[in-house]
Amino acid sequence: MSGRIAVIGLGPGEARYLTPEAAAELEAAEAVYGYGPYLDRVPARAGQSRHASDNREEIARAGSALAHAATGAKVAMVSGGDPGVFAMAAAVIEAIEAGPAEWRGLEVAVVPGITAMLMVAAKAGAPLGHDFCAISLSDNLKPWETVERRLRLAAQAGFAMAFYNPVSKARPWQLDRAFDLLREELPGAVPVIFGRAAGRADEKIVTVPLAGARGDMADMATCILVGTTATRIVARDGLPDLVYTPRRADAERA
Ligand code: SAH
């Protein structure tokens, strides 16, 4: 019998955001692998083993799960949000590419989930209503110079942006540097949305102008959306603002 690995997106938090496909895959798994806090979100099921690991050990975690699947087991690997967005799906496929030939014979299913930027965008209105990009601000897996270059070019190209991994204890100054750089490229009025714990009970969504955006407004549980010069804020009496980026873009300045 050949094994199977499902790389499953759990969505941003609450169970109502878990897709029926992801729930069915979790139910069918004989073993579940993942970062501890994500595993804690998966309801316990009799006969299913659990393998928690540290956040940084992605390739080792992928290798353990693949070796387990290669014994013929149905294995699940869980990620927060979507498994293909700065998460485990790429790590699992990287491990398959570099690993023993038998791992290529495994059945692989990548099960999508609601990623953080889409949850935050939905809560704010439609800030990603036109062209946008997603950038991880972590310099664990790429040089910081690459982050800066991508930020600058994305701003110049008129993309709205979603920032993942905005800060960590090991990266105290990078987010302020990113905002300074964006202020060189974009007007101070561009809306910046800080979405913390989106889709969970302690969710907090705050919008400030780029001129007032500061690194200490975010933590590791925050996804930041930066609008464009076209992004608008619709104010309403006694109701939350609606932030949106119109579906049409004007001809670009030369
Ligand atoms: N695979 C995940 C992203 C993993 S990277 C996804 O698709 O959402 C981890 C980063 O995701 C965090 O630093 C934060 O920027 C963002 N993030 C994850 N869950 C979040 C949530 N509920 N609210 C806001 N940001 C979140």
Side-chain angles (χ1 to χ4, degrees):
M1 174 194 156
S2 74
R4 183 170 198 275
I5 185 160
V7 195
I8 302 172
L10 298 179
E14 290 168 14
R16 65 189 158 133
Y17 298 122
L18 188 80
T19 69
E21 184 191 17
E25 288 283 359
L26 289 171
E27 182 65 31
E30 291 159 336
V32 188
Y33 284 74
Y35 174 46
Y38 295 144
L39 271 188
D40 292 344
R41 283 201 220 155
V42 179
R45 183 170 79 65
Q48 189 177 66
S49 66
R50 307 210 152 210
H51 309 263
S53 54
D54 191 73
N55 204 12
R56 293 205 163 218
E57 299 166 358
E58 283 151 347
I59 283 291
R61 183 193 310 154
S64 310
L66 286 162
H68 195 156
T71 66
K74 279 188 178 165
V75 172
M77 168 72 76
V78 295
S79 273
D82 182 89
V85 179
F86 309 121
M88 285 308 296
V92 166
I93 295 172
E94 187 183 328
I96 289 172
E97 187 177 27
E102 59 168 358
W103 288 1
R104 295 196 184 212
L106 293 170
E107 193 183 335
V108 178
V110 178
V111 181
I114 299 174
T115 189
M117 69 178 174
L118 299 185
M119 195 72 223
V120 175
K123 295 301 174 119
L128 305 179
H130 199 72
D131 299 343
F132 66 90
C133 64
I135 302 176
S136 170
L137 294 193
S138 170
D139 57 1
N140 286 340
L141 299 171
K142 66 188 163 198
W144 176 251
E145 295 68 42
T146 301
V147 177
E148 290 203 357
R149 182 161 169 277
R150 290 183 182 176
L151 290 175
R152 202 177 285 281
L153 292 174
Q156 288 172 2
F159 286 118
M161 295 172 228
F163 297 160
Y164 286 76
N165 300 310
V167 284
S168 76
K169 285 191 192 88
R171 293 180 285 117
W173 53 265
Q174 280 86 341
L175 183 56
D176 275 313
R177 169 75 194 123
F179 287 137
D180 285 345
L181 184 155
L182 291 179
R183 283 187 278 263
E184 291 171 22
E185 303 291 341
L186 296 169
V190 164
V192 177
I193 300 159
F194 292 84
R196 186 178 188 284
R200 299 182 210 151
D202 52 343
E203 165 183 291
K204 199 174 157 208
I205 313 283
V206 175
T207 304
V208 303
L210 176 59
R214 294 192 322 269
D216 64 8
M217 294 172 170
D219 65 7
M220 277 160 61
T222 308
C223 182
I224 300 169
L225 305 184
V226 180
T228 70
T229 53
T231 304
R232 303 181 58 76
I233 298 181
V234 181
R236 302 180 302 156
D237 266 348
L239 291 169
D241 290 347
L242 293 170
V243 185
Y244 84 108
T245 305
R247 295 166 298 135
R248 290 182 181 76
D250 295 331
E252 289 192 31
R253 289 161 290 149

